[in-house]
Amino acid sequence: MRYLFSDRFGGVSKTPFASLNLALHVGDNSQDVKKNRELLAKKIETDRLVFMEQVHKDHIEIVTDTTTQEVLKTDAMISNIKGVGLCVMVADCIPILFYDSFKEVIAVAHAGRQGIALNIANRVIESMIYNFSSKVENIEIFMGPSIKSCCYEVKKDAIKGFENYSYAREDKIYLDIGEKCIEDMLKIGIVPKNIIYSSTCTCCNQKYFSYRRDGKTGRFCGVITL
Ligand SMILES: [Zn+2]
């Protein structure tokens, strides 16, 4: 298994997508995005990357030999096919990668506030257990850079479901969606030592694309392959 989280650098896109933008839907030149995706494929050493059209819901697709490069309207994918690189695009949401080394199964999830409210990570874990006979204690989790409670200010009505993960500072409210996501996964039996959580905030760190910081910008990726 190989996995990586990309950053802004090493691609061919121009400002404001400079330079390794991996998303076609943000207004970038599609030829540049295609080139960037080729560079990413080379880096992770696979020639078959699969991307999602992400819609902030909790649908999960199982990627098979016949799946094309773009899976429509889904926020998670699971596969046991060798040589397929599952990609999740983000710019503040949490890119979550899953791996069961016993059953050789991989998965990705796009986890923003809405996805986490729908418990998307646990839905993926349950699907790995149901469809691939994974055992929860064998599932490893890699959570990439995402917006943290230092920067994730929300309006009052966005707190619902996150009451225990909201923090007030100077009359403003901030959420820690990663903390809720981790606690949800621990509740169904994910082993704490099997969670690797990046403490990097995408909005604070210029190395990453951040929708909150820049608005019109690119997307970086979490990728996992067998
Ligand atoms: Zn921050």
Side-chain angles (χ1 to χ4, degrees), residues 41-56:
K42 205 175 233 179
K43 207 167 183 189
I44 193 96
E45 294 170 29
T46 174
D47 47 24
R48 206 174 143 218
L49 296 180
V50 181
F51 288 84
M52 303 181 282
E53 184 199 341
Q54 302 162 182
V55 288
H56 294 281

Side-chain angles (χ1 to χ4, degrees), residues 171-211:
D171 295 333
K172 291 174 178 165
I173 305 162
Y174 297 83
L175 293 189
D176 191 329
I177 58 171
E179 192 186 352
K180 172 165 169 50
C181 185
I182 288 171
E183 287 196 15
D184 287 342
M185 290 191 287
L186 295 177
K187 270 184 209 156
I188 63 164
I190 291 292
V191 181
K193 73 167 175 54
N194 283 350
I195 301 178
I196 294 178
Y197 179 58
S198 167
S199 59
T200 298
C201 171
T202 42
C203 191
C204 288
N205 191 326
Q206 298 279 345
K207 218 180 136 182
Y208 299 95
F209 295 114
S210 168
Y211 180 75

Side-chain angles (χ1 to χ4, degrees), residues 5-10 20-21 43 207-209 220-221:
F5 295 102
S6 64
D7 54 33
R8 295 184 74 118
F9 307 116
L20 192 64
N21 166 45
K43 207 167 183 189
K207 218 180 136 182
Y208 299 95
F209 295 114
F220 67 96
C221 251

Side-chain angles (χ1 to χ4, degrees), residues 1-2 63 78-84 86 98-107 128 132-135 138-140 224-226:
M1 181 277 290
R2 303 181 294 287
V63 170
I78 305 178
S79 188
N80 62 354
I81 308 292
K82 282 214 173 4
V84 169
L86 303 182
F98 306 74
Y99 177 51
D100 171 2
S101 64
F102 288 79
K103 298 289 179 186
E104 282 293 298
V105 177
I106 53 174
M128 290 172 76
F132 294 94
S133 307
S134 290
K135 290 198 168 114
N138 295 335
I139 298 176
E140 297 169 58
I224 187 164
T225 188
L226 289 169

Side-chain angles (χ1 to χ4, degrees), residues 146-152 169 199-205:
S146 61
I147 195 165
K148 300 291 192 288
S149 57
C150 42
C151 297
Y152 192 27
R169 289 196 310 269
S199 59
T200 298
C201 171
T202 42
C203 191
C204 288
N205 191 326

